[in-house]
Amino acid sequence: DAKTTQPNSMESNEEEPVHLPCNHSTISGTDYIHWYRQLPSQGPEYVIHGLTSNVNNRMASLAIAEDRKSSTLILHRATLRDAAVYYCIRDNYGQNFVFGPGTRLSVLP
Amino acid sequence: DVKVTQSSRYLVKRTGEKVFLECVQDMDHENMFWYRQDPGLGLRLIYFSYDVKMKEKGDIPEGYSVSREKKERFSLILESASTNQTSMYLCASSEWGAGEKLFFGSGTQLSVL
């Protein structure tokens, strides 16, 4: 089963950090963990991905548990433009990205 | 900038019609994907292709077929459209290999009446 588990929705205040959790308890040793987000009326866009180590880029940070059964996407300072559906996905060698329903993030001004 | 282009943003068809959804990418990517997105269900994979003339079924291939005659173009075909195929269709592409990013098109909202 290539699925991941995420909360249906989360809320954050503007300019506060947001931690979006994801469980992938059946992940295999070679599966990457990807995060994408989808703004209203757009296709999903890449946010970040990693394999074992924590990763940072200009958009976010990705913290991966030592046993790799879970991960957390961290938005350091949420803005109104970060309101979107966030998807956590296991990458089965780039051929079968399985998206779940994702987490709908609301950002309150 | 990388680009995945879907031929139509909105499409309205009648039940029983043959429908073609076209997707073109300009990044020389090996992998291409078709997803459909319905409220509350997230994205579901219909078909993907990892090379010209190659295709693999995803989670929900029934009622759909695909064609990839050229590397840059991946077509989704509804042989006989039905109302339960009304949905948002998203095309994506990626390079071959683990850890490669997916790039999505803007989507085609298909309504079958």
Side-chain angles (χ1 to χ4, degrees), chain B residues 82-98:
Chain B
S82 63
T83 54
N84 63 12
Q85 292 178 309
T86 291
S87 186
M88 170 67 80
Y89 290 88
L90 288 155
C91 175
S93 71
S94 73
E95 290 188 20
W96 169 266

Side-chain angles (χ1 to χ4, degrees), chain B:
Chain B
D1 232 2
V2 297
K3 212 163 188 177
V4 178
T5 304
Q6 294 183 231
S7 53
S8 305
R9 186 73 177 96
Y10 299 95
L11 211 51
V12 179
K13 296 291 181 181
R14 296 279 178 194
T15 302
E17 277 192 77
K18 190 169 186 175
V19 181
F20 292 86
L21 301 183
E22 306 287 347
C23 175
V24 177
Q25 50 98 0
D26 65 0
M27 297 162 282
D28 202 36
H29 284 169
E30 287 81 9
N31 297 335
M32 295 188 76
F33 306 80
W34 275 107
Y35 290 89
R36 67 175 279 176
Q37 184 170 30
D38 301 288
L41 296 178
L43 279 76
R44 292 180 290 168
L45 183 64
I46 305 171
Y47 270 97
F48 67 97
S49 167
Y50 54 89
D51 202 352
V52 174
K53 298 191 187 295
M54 305 302 288
K55 61 184 179 185
E56 295 286 340
K57 292 180 180 179
D59 297 323
I60 51 164
E62 297 78 20
Y64 303 95
S65 62
V66 290
S67 172
R68 193 163 179 205
E69 297 296 318
K70 292 186 178 181
K71 191 175 186 181
E72 67 271 18
R73 187 179 296 270
F74 192 35
S75 302
L76 180 69
I77 303 155
L78 289 65
E79 293 289 342
S80 177
S82 63
T83 54
N84 63 12
Q85 292 178 309
T86 291
S87 186
M88 170 67 80
Y89 290 88
L90 288 155
C91 175
S93 71
S94 73
E95 290 188 20
W96 169 266
E100 296 295 337
K101 303 174 197 176
L102 272 176
F103 293 87
F104 281 87
S106 299
T108 295
Q109 178 62 51
L110 173 67
S111 298
V112 183
L113 307 177

Side-chain angles (χ1 to χ4, degrees), chain A residues 2 28 30-32 89-98, chain B residues 98:
Chain A
S28 72
T30 55
D31 285 355
Y32 279 78
I89 300 142
R90 287 164 51 176
D91 171 9
N92 181 18
Y93 209 76
Q95 289 196 335
N96 192 356
F97 291 81
V98 178

